[in-house]
């Protein structure tokens, strides 16, 4: 059974086609092997992105998708389906609509097919209801008007845990490695065993976000936070992209931050295949677990003598340890250091987008009904004004991140084009009693200057504010060597969450 999605059909097809050709982009076949790779993909059984049925595609079709995605910077845009000319037109007669509404009110648990079959029987019994359109027309009408199937209550259980245990008993577990640098990145959160002292006078357990390259084992980025929300994941992952480049695939577990809409849709817009580990199968991300063992066994052990450990100092020494020791230390399985393999091996990395482009990418797209009285919509309890040019829209699609309501854009749901930025309703300015006429045809400016980000680049910092307790010699040498480079700490601090007791 397919999962009900609020995305348009064009977006569903674009994501499905990208999931088919994505492995060819992340791991390009050698010369002369493309035909065999296309035939292997054509032999697979795929799930239809709309109906959920099992389908097959010819090698010629997959080859056409592959070349389209490879030749453009935005593969999802070129893989979209063309919008039909009759899109949005209602072709059901009024008597059929009334009959369908009565059926849905009486039987909300019926499937779309069952509703259609009953409509066909009603039309056969009473031809005055009008001609019955196709099943797809009836289903689209029900979905667009909120007549969605309501599932029956089921007994809650944990079947994933049972399936994982059976899979481990029946199949062996093997290690793997991506063929190219940038083919696959790993990311995970790790709860540190040491607590940090916040400016608010509270001891908080820090949480590390680590991003690793699978082929080279290079630490792309490592930073400590006070939470593990989607905002923290996007904040750290974006820095890894700006340091090393844009990867082709990204593996995470099924945590709340990893499956958040902002992060999932951001990976799709950046052309990154999101690989998720199976439930209750942490061994699939074993390289990340080995990295945490190295972090705790070396860096955190050397920080045992620091009595007043702060988040700022912890992040600064972590950046030095990652770049000076971990990335440059010979890896036992590689036979060289991660940074050497990263520089010498073949890669499929792409140039990093700008900071503004990354912030815009990691946002979710939602649909809201515009309030006709004042032309506003509500997002997370905040009212936003719709420009007068778009006041005739009944439903609008908006792209935003729940943690940053400063960047909210009105978008075209069919093409994904940004139409206009949206701004919060200024109630105090409206209290002057002056009202303006609507200018529906007024030009809409879309090249607004983006507001300053709270995580913008900062100037070089001074040496870390160290404690009076002497540091271990190895950690002191790492810090001195890192300071000798003349570079600022390679991370951007993030404002603490509101519930951490911090002062602004």
């Amino acid at each position: 059974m397919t999962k009900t999605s609020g995305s348009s059909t064009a977006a569903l097809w674009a994501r499905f086609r990208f999931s088919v050709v994505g492995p060819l982009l992340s791991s390009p076949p050698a010369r002369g092997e493309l035909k065999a790779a296309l035939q292997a993909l054509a032999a697979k059984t795929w799930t239809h992105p709309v109906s959920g049925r099992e389908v097959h595609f010819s090698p010629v079709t997959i080859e056409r998708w592959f070349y389209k995605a490879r030749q453009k910077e935005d593969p999802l845009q070129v893989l979209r389906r063309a919008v039909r000319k009759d899109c949005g037109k209602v072709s059901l007669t009024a008597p059929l609509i009334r009959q369908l509404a009565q059926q849905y009110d009486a039987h909300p648990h019926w499937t779309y097919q069952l509703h259609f079959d009953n409509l066909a029987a009603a039309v056969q019994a009473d031809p005055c209801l009008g001609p019955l359109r196709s099943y797809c027309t009836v289903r689209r009408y029900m979905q667009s008007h909120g007549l969605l199937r309501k599932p029956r209550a089921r007994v809650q259980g944990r079947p994933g845990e049972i399936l994982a245990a059976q899979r481990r008993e029946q199949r062996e577990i093997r290690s793997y490695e991506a063929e190219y640098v940038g083919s696959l990145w790993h990311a995970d959160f790790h709860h540190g065993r040491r607590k940090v002292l916040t400016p608010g006078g509270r001891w908080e357990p820090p949480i590390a976000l680590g991003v690793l390259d699978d082929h080279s084992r290079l630490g792309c980025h490592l930073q400590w936070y006070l939470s593990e929300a989607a905002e923290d994941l996007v904040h750290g992952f974006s820095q890894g992209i700006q340091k090393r480049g844009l990867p082709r695939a990204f593996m995470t577990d099924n945590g709340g931050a990893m499956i958040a809409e902002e992060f999932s849709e951001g990976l799709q817009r950046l052309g990154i295949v999101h690989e998720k580990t199976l439930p209750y199968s942490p061994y699939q991300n074993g390289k990340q677990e080995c990295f945490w063992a190295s972090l705790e066994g070396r860096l955190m052990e050397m920080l045992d003598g620091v009595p007043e450990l702060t988040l700022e100092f912890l992040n600064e020494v972590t950046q030095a340890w990652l770049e000076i020791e971990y990335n440059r230390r010979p890896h036992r399985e590689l036979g060289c250091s991660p940074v050497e393999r990263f520089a010498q091996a073949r890669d499929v990395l792409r140039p990093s987008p700008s900071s503004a482009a990354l912030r815009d990418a990691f946002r979710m797209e939602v649909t809201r009904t515009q309030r006709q009285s004042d032309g506003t919509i509500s997002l997370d309890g905040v009212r936003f004004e719709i420009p007068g040019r778009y006041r005739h829209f009944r439903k609008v699609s908006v792209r935003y991140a729940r943690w940053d309501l400063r960047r909210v854009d009105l978008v075209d749901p069919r093409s994904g084009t940004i139409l206009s930025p949206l701004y919060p309703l200024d109630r105090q300015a409206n209290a002057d009693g002056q009202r303006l006429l609507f200018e529906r045809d007024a030009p809409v400016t879309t090249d607004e200057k983006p507001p300053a980000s709270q995580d913008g680049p900062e100037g070089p910092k001074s040496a870390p504010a160290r404690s009076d307790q002497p540091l271990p010699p190895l950690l002191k040498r790492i810090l001195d060597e890192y300071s000798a480079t003349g570079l600022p700490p390679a991370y951007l601090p993030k404002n603490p969450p509101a519930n951490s007791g911090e002062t602004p």
Side-chain angles (χ1 to χ4, degrees), residues 297-331:
R298 296 187 65 83
L299 175 63
M300 301 309 293
E301 287 291 340
M302 292 187 290
L303 291 176
D304 276 342
V306 181
E308 299 177 0
L309 187 63
T310 63
L311 185 65
E312 180 182 5
F313 178 70
L314 178 60
N315 269 320
E316 292 182 4
V317 298
T318 298
Q319 301 306 314
W321 174 81
L322 179 69
E323 299 295 341
I324 299 301
E325 181 181 272
Y326 174 80
N327 283 342
R328 300 184 184 182
R329 185 181 181 185
H331 196 280

Side-chain angles (χ1 to χ4, degrees), residues 12 40 51 63 77 82 133 178 204 225 264 299 401 406 437 462 484:
L12 291 176
S51 65
E63 182 181 14
Q77 186 64 29
R133 303 299 179 183
E204 298 283 349
Y225 299 92
S264 299
L299 175 63
R406 298 171 301 174
L437 294 176
S462 58

Side-chain angles (χ1 to χ4, degrees), residues 86-132:
D86 59 347
C87 181
K89 296 181 180 179
V90 179
S91 57
L92 296 181
T93 61
L96 272 180
I97 293 176
R98 288 194 296 268
Q99 178 69 21
L100 182 60
Q102 293 175 1
Q103 284 185 186
Y104 181 80
D105 291 339
H107 308 283
H109 306 300
W110 280 5
T111 62
Y112 298 126
Q113 184 66 51
L114 188 56
H115 277 293
F116 175 78
D117 294 340
N118 279 269
L119 278 181
V123 171
Q124 184 178 3
D126 186 6
C128 296
L129 293 177
L132 179 62

Side-chain angles (χ1 to χ4, degrees), residues 7 70 95 160 187 214 223 342 364 391 411 417 427 444 478 501:
S7 303
R70 192 181 68 170
D214 185 86
Q223 186 169 347
F342 184 86
M364 66 177 180
R391 288 288 178 88
V411 299
T417 304
R427 301 180 186 273
V444 179
I478 292 175

